[in-house]
């Protein structure tokens, strides 16, 4: 009986892997998002000041990212998303400063010299791969950048004016206009590429195929994806041959789901909005709204487990700017790590950088000294735990469900993990929440943050108190923590991530036998699970 279960367990993993391998590989990853110009200074560079208000280059390069990967990997991240690498418009300062973020693309087929050479980018890619990490590159397809509504395109990748839509300002809410008209304004225009033109389609496909191969890229973050006709993306992502995650700005789940229909994943803007509404302090504290968005997402998307979950990015305010109490971020970030989707942390979030919108949300990281801050430690714990669950169980593909909802509390469960979240903030409260769990009486659950043990009561309930403030609590039966490296359990170094039937660029560098020990490890772990669930139930 047990042997049959084991056999089915292994079989289900093997057959699962054969489908949609690249999204499957990314599902268990955890992404650190970097604006190349702002992450780190090159070695030996003077400790220069960088005023984000100046909107100019501060000196970060691909080499300086490569030299500072320990900081990212030590926090448990398994992938890095870097800002666009393509050549940008070069010229006099615009009313909005210089092209330091990389989104003002002119020739997508050339690299941006401000950030390094072709060899430097290759070195970053191989440094990540040798650490077992993935490289995600941000690409801007929808538009280029110019300073007029009738630009001279002779220095652009697409040189013919007929390859662009004629100028019109976007009429928001009109989808045709959102796709064909120009983002930006008339001071800095973003000429809209005609992505239905067959010459454009094939030029982009040839470029991306060659680019992904040359730099061994593992995933793409696609800027302004919803401003491009949806039927452009399947051919483009197929030519790329790797995981595609599109930016579909706004809280319209239907629109996001439509774009996940044409690429692997989208950034989870609807959940981001709901998290702000639920956890921001002061704020509406709308926990029922978060649950509604979560349930509607599960019904609408093709696959919620590969969406990109975030709290900050280069277009939205830093969380700490809109909600100063650190517990508000800690609870919201725990939702992103412990529910469905791929967690994304924007550089500097771990140091609680506090700028508002563009350009204040793009401050330099170096003034923080890259210290092991309490936020950095919390994120490290979440990554360590999630990597462990992902490496050893099918947690990543399991569904999140709601256990208990209170006026200021929400308890969710994904796989065997229960996360109890609150928006009451740091001050001690004379309150607690009873969370109804499926675990039997006297089962011992551990909180991964404090390692405090919670005993399940007679009705399956666990009582979480806020007497020392509104901290997030993440509970798992203590027997399941063996091998995790958390709460005194030693880390089982032999359990490695399983690159299930990779079709991504890591495949070639992975030893041919890598899958076999990990299958044995999974089988052993499932034995432990089978045994412990018998003990618990
Ligand atoms: C939507 O925008 C398109 C493109 O600008 C325009 O042709 C069309 O008339 C607009 N539709 C409506 C209903 O305004
Ligand atoms: C885009 O290009 C196609 C093919 O060249 C053309 O038929 C179409 O009219 C163009 N679209 C717009 C809105 O200019
Ligand atoms: C809470 O969020 C839901 C879903 O977005 C919304 O329908 C509801 O009006 C919100 N309630 C409050 C009090 O803001
Ligand atoms: C929010 O950001 C703005 C601009 O960066 C800054 O002036 C303000 O002090 C920040 N507020 C908080 C609460 O951090
Ligand atoms: C750079 O300067 C900032 C103060 O502006 C300081 O906090 C930081 O530690 C310095 N970093 C290094 C590497 O010297
Ligand atoms: C950060 O500090 C914590 C607590 O002391 C420690 O366990 C962890 O190893 C440190 N992380 C790094 C990268 O030094
Ligand atoms: C899980 O996989 C990651 C990435 O390969 C690795 O760094 C980590 O050590 C693994 N964790 C465990 C608990 O095996
Ligand atoms: C998760 O939910 C989806 C949609 O509700 C369902 O199709 C899928 O089978 C569920 N997966 C698991 C592992 O329960
Ligand atoms: C806490 O709340 C309970 C019931 O709401 C009340 O009886 C008790 O006095 C309160 N304790 C404190 C210290 O405020």
């Amino acid at each position: 009986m047990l042997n049959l279960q084991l056999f089915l367990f292994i079989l289900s993993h093997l057959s699962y892997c054969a489908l949609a391998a690249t999204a499957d590989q990314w599902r268990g990853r955890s992404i650190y998002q970097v604006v190349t110009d702002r992450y780190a200074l090159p070695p030996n560079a003077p400790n220069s000041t960088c005023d984000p208000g100046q909107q100019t280059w501060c000196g970060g390069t691909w080499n300086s990212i490569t030299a500072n990967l320990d900081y990212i990997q030590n926090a448990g991240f398994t992938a890095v998303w870097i800002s666009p690498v393509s050549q940008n418009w070069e010229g006099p300062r615009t009313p909005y400063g210089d092209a330091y973020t990389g989104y003002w693309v002119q020739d997508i087929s050339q690299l941006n010299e401000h950030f390094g050479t072709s060899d430097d980018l290759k070195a970053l890619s191989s440094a990540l791969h040798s650490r077992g990490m993935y490289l995600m590159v941000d690409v801007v397809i929808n538009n280029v950048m110019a300073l007029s509504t009738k630009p001279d395109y002779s220095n652009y990748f697409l040189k013919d004016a007929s390859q662009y839509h004629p100028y019109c300002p976007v009429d928001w809410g009109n989808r045709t206009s959102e796709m064909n008209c120009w983002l930006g304004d008339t001071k800095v225009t973003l000429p809209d590429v005609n992505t239905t033109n067959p010459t454009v389609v094939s030029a982009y496909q040839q470029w991306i195929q060659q680019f992904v191969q040359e730099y061994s890229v593992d995933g793409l973050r696609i800027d302004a994806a919803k401003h491009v006709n949806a039927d452009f993306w399947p051919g483009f992502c197929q030519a790329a041959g790797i995981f595609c995650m599109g930016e579909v700005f706004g809280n319209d789940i239907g629109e996001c789901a439509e774009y996940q229909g044409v690429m692997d994943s989208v950034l989870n803007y609807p959940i981001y909005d709901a998290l702000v509404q639920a956890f921001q302090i002061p704020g509406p504290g709308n926990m029922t709204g978060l649950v509604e968005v979560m349930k509607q997402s599960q019904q609408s998307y093709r696959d919620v487990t590969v969406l990109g979950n975030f709290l900050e990015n280069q277009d939205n305010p830093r969380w700490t700017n809109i909600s100063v109490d650190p517990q508000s971020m800690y609870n919201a970030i725990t939702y992103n790590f412990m529910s469905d989707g791929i967690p994304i942390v924007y550089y500097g979030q771990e140091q609680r950088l506090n700028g508002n919108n563009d350009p204040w949300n793009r401050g330099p990281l170096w003034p923080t000294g890259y210290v092991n801050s309490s936020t950095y430690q919390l994120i490290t714990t979440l990554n360590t735990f999630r990597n462990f669950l992902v490496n050893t169980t099918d947690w990543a593909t399991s569904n999140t469900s709601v256990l208990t909802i209170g006026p200021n509390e929400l308890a969710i469960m994904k796989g065997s993990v229960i996360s109890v979240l609150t928006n009451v903030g740091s001050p001690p409260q004379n309150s607690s929440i009873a969370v109804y769990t499926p675990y039997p009486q006297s089962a011992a659950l551990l909180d991964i943050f404090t390692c405090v043990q919670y005993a399940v009561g007679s009705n399956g309930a666990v009582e979480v108190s806020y007497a020392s403030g509104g901290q997030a609590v993440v509970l798992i039966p203590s027997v399941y923590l063996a091998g995790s490296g958390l709460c005194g359990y030693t880390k089982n170094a032999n359990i490695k991530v399983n690159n299930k039937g990779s079709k991504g660029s890591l495949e070639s560098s992975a030893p041919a036998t890598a899958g076999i020990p990990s299958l044995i490890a999974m089988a052993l772990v499932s034995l432990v699970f089978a045994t412990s669930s018998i003990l618990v139930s």
Side-chain angles (χ1 to χ4, degrees):
M1 184 63 193
L2 195 59
N3 280 341
L4 180 64
Q5 276 174 358
L6 274 182
F7 176 71
L8 290 175
F9 179 81
I10 291 167
L11 193 69
S12 70
H13 272 70
L14 286 175
S15 55
Y16 189 70
C17 311
L19 316 163
T22 50
D24 187 36
Q25 282 179 294
W26 273 91
R27 181 181 290 107
R29 295 275 155 172
S30 173
I31 303 174
Y32 187 79
Q33 180 194 349
V34 164
V35 171
T36 299
D37 186 63
R38 301 297 164 86
Y39 173 66
L41 286 171
N44 307 322
N47 188 359
S48 72
T49 55
C50 168
D51 173 2
Q54 291 297 310
Q55 299 175 289
T56 192
W57 293 279
C58 287
T61 63
W62 299 316
N63 280 345
S64 63
I65 300 174
T66 306
N68 289 278
L69 288 178
D70 282 352
Y71 176 75
I72 301 174
Q73 193 178 24
N74 288 344
F77 292 100
T78 51
V80 176
W81 151 13
I82 59 171
S83 51
V85 300
S86 297
Q87 190 223 41
N88 273 217
W89 179 85
E90 298 280 348
R93 256 175 86 80
T94 78
Y96 307 124
D98 296 310
Y100 66 96
T101 60
Y103 290 93
W104 289 351
V105 170
Q106 179 174 298
D107 186 345
I108 204 165
S109 69
Q110 306 290 316
L111 291 183
N112 191 329
E113 288 177 5
H114 288 274
F115 304 134
T117 65
S118 167
D119 284 346
D120 297 344
L121 185 55
K122 285 177 187 164
L124 171 58
S125 177
S126 62
L128 284 166
H129 292 157
S130 66
R131 290 166 183 261
M133 297 167 77
Y134 284 172
L135 173 64
M136 172 176 276
V137 177
D138 206 324
V139 294
V140 186
I141 300 299
N142 172 67
N143 57 271
V144 292
M145 178 275 193
L147 291 182
S148 104
T149 54
K150 287 203 185 316
D152 167 7
Y153 294 113
S154 53
N155 291 323
Y156 287 64
F157 175 62
L158 302 166
K159 300 184 193 310
D160 192 327
S162 73
Q163 296 169 317
Y164 300 83
H165 291 128
Y167 172 76
C168 50
V170 173
D171 173 17
W172 292 98
N174 173 342
R175 287 289 292 135
T176 314
S177 171
E178 288 176 8
M179 283 191 252
N180 295 350
C181 292
W182 293 18
L183 299 170
D185 58 22
T186 52
K187 290 187 220 154
V188 172
T189 63
L190 300 177
D192 198 82
V193 175
N194 182 344
T195 41
T196 59
N197 179 322
T199 336
V200 170
V201 171
S202 77
Y204 268 145
Q205 289 184 4
Q206 278 172 31
W207 165 71
I208 195 65
Q209 183 168 29
Q210 183 270 335
F211 173 75
V212 163
Q213 279 168 16
E214 183 164 6
Y215 297 101
S216 302
V217 179
D218 305 293
L220 299 177
R221 182 272 185 186
I222 296 173
D223 193 56
K226 76 164 181 177
H227 295 282
V228 172
N229 45 300
D231 60 1
F232 172 84
W233 295 120
F236 180 81
C237 290
Q238 197 174 10
I242 53 174
F243 182 67
C244 286
M245 185 171 72
E247 178 202 23
V248 178
F249 203 104
N251 59 9
D252 184 336
I253 296 174
E255 200 167 81
C256 286
E258 178 196 336
Y259 276 80
Q260 197 193 29
V262 292
M263 56 177 69
D264 297 304
S265 168
V266 295
L267 284 159
N268 203 342
Y269 265 98
I271 281 287
Y272 162 71
D273 278 351
L275 289 170
V276 173
Q277 297 303 309
F279 290 105
Q280 185 181 28
I281 300 175
N286 192 348
M287 286 293 187
T288 51
L290 174 58
V291 170
E292 266 175 49
V293 173
M294 182 187 129
K295 291 194 167 158
Q296 205 189 325
S297 298
Q298 288 175 334
Q299 283 157 17
S300 309
Y301 289 99
R302 189 156 55 82
D303 183 357
V304 287
T305 65
V306 294
L307 301 177
N309 295 343
F310 62 91
L311 295 182
E312 298 183 359
N313 61 35
Q314 77 288 357
D315 292 326
N316 290 96
R318 295 284 189 176
W319 186 277
T320 300
N321 194 279
I322 58 169
S323 190
V324 175
D325 187 324
Q327 291 304 338
S328 87
M329 186 204 277
Y330 296 170
N331 279 273
I333 210 172
T334 300
Y335 181 92
N336 276 350
F337 274 78
M338 289 293 120
S339 66
D340 303 323
I342 302 169
I344 302 170
V345 170
Y346 183 49
Y347 85 97
Q349 190 180 337
E350 73 286 355
Q351 301 293 350
R352 304 189 67 241
L353 293 189
N354 69 337
N356 200 322
N357 285 303
D358 171 12
W360 307 105
N361 50 8
R362 301 154 181 192
L365 188 55
W366 46 92
T368 68
Y370 305 91
V371 295
N372 187 358
S373 64
S374 32
T375 308
Y376 183 95
Q377 287 173 35
L378 177 114
I379 291 171
T380 307
T381 302
L382 285 168
N383 269 327
T384 305
F385 185 50
R386 188 174 177 279
N387 289 342
F388 168 70
L389 294 168
V390 163
N391 290 3
T392 58
T393 73
D394 60 358
W395 180 84
T397 53
S398 64
N399 285 330
T400 303
S401 59
V402 173
L403 293 182
T404 304
I405 179 160
N408 296 100
E409 301 84 11
L410 171 64
I412 55 172
M413 184 161 187
K414 181 176 170 74
S416 54
V417 181
I418 295 172
S419 301
V420 188
L421 309 172
T422 181
N423 58 22
V424 296
S426 297
Q429 309 286 321
N430 182 15
S431 69
S432 63
I433 176 96
V435 175
Y436 295 92
T437 81
Y439 292 118
Q441 184 176 2
S442 328
L445 310 182
L446 279 183
D447 171 23
I448 62 155
F449 295 124
T450 58
C451 304
V452 165
Q453 188 172 302
Y454 288 72
V456 176
S458 57
N459 48 4
V462 159
E463 189 85 1
V464 173
S465 153
Y466 297 119
S468 42
Q471 284 140 350
V473 170
V474 173
L475 301 170
I476 183 163
S478 53
V479 284
Y480 292 178
L481 274 182
S484 65
L486 292 166
C487 295
Y489 291 91
T490 46
K491 184 162 178 160
N492 184 347
N494 294 324
I495 301 171
K496 287 274 156 54
V497 79
N498 175 21
N499 282 323
K500 308 167 178 175
S502 150
K503 107 172 151 157
S505 52
L506 280 188
E507 186 181 41
S508 49
S509 61
T513 54
I516 295 163
S518 69
L519 275 180
I520 294 168
M522 284 195 305
L524 285 175
V525 165
S526 78
L527 247 180
V528 172
F529 268 49
T531 318
S532 49
S533 61
I534 290 163
L535 290 180
V536 171
S537 54

